[in-house]
Amino acid sequence: MINIGSQKMRNNYSFSQSYQEQSTSVNLSLSDLESPCILSISSSKSETQLTIEISLNDQLIKSFTGHDNRMDLSPYLTAGQQRILISGNYSPSNASIKIKLQGKNTYINQEIAGTGQLRQQLIFNIQ
């Protein structure tokens, strides 16, 4: 609070962080999981620093740092609905981040840019 004579002025500063949250549904059969289901997360620039966490049904399964990361999701996925959450930060915030999922009968390619925060959800329906 700042006092100026008999006037009182209150300075309120609030900062908000914005990020994009995206959700994608993927339908797979159990036989699709006999082949690798590769999740790739990379940046458009090699100097971009990524700090990423991958969670399956709210359980952390992998952490990454760097600008180019890959993992096979097949060993983690089972029948039913499974939710993979990809979250983290990247800098510089104006970099673009590419998320790819490639499997036997699946190919998803998404690009996110501009906030410095990443939050992507993949919902697998496996029968």
Side-chain angles (χ1 to χ4, degrees):
M1 179 140 356
I2 301 172
N3 288 323
I4 302 176
S6 62
Q7 293 182 336
K8 293 182 180 179
M9 296 172 44
R10 182 175 300 268
N11 291 332
N12 290 326
Y13 296 100
S14 64
F15 298 95
S16 63
Q17 292 183 325
S18 63
Y19 60 89
Q20 292 176 290
E21 182 169 327
Q22 201 166 0
S23 189
T24 304
S25 291
V26 181
N27 295 318
L28 298 175
S29 69
L30 281 173
S31 64
D32 290 335
L33 299 177
E34 294 170 3
S35 299
C37 186
I38 304 297
L39 175 66
S40 302
I41 305 167
S42 62
S43 64
S44 57
K45 304 173 187 176
S46 62
E47 65 271 11
T48 301
Q49 289 301 307
L50 285 165
T51 304
I52 304 292
E53 290 185 344
I54 311 292
S55 298
L56 171 65
N57 301 325
D58 298 323
Q59 296 284 325
L60 179 67
I61 57 173
K62 187 86 171 174
S63 294
F64 292 116
T65 58
H67 74 278
D68 191 11
N69 306 284
R70 297 169 46 101
M71 75 176 289
D72 182 4
L73 295 177
S74 294
Y76 299 96
L77 299 173
T78 59
Q81 188 176 75
Q82 309 291 318
R83 187 174 58 91
I84 296 280
L85 179 63
I86 305 162
S87 61
N89 301 302
Y90 59 93
S91 66
S93 62
N94 63 352
S96 61
I97 306 301
K98 295 177 184 175
I99 298 173
K100 292 182 186 178
L101 180 70
Q102 191 167 5
K104 181 178 176 183
N105 295 310
T106 304
Y107 183 80
I108 296 170
N109 187 12
Q110 297 176 334
E111 192 166 339
I112 297 158
T115 65
Q117 299 228 333
L118 173 65
R119 192 164 171 91
Q120 173 72 35
Q121 183 173 238
L122 299 171
I123 300 170
F124 289 89
N125 296 302
I126 304 167
Q127 297 179 350

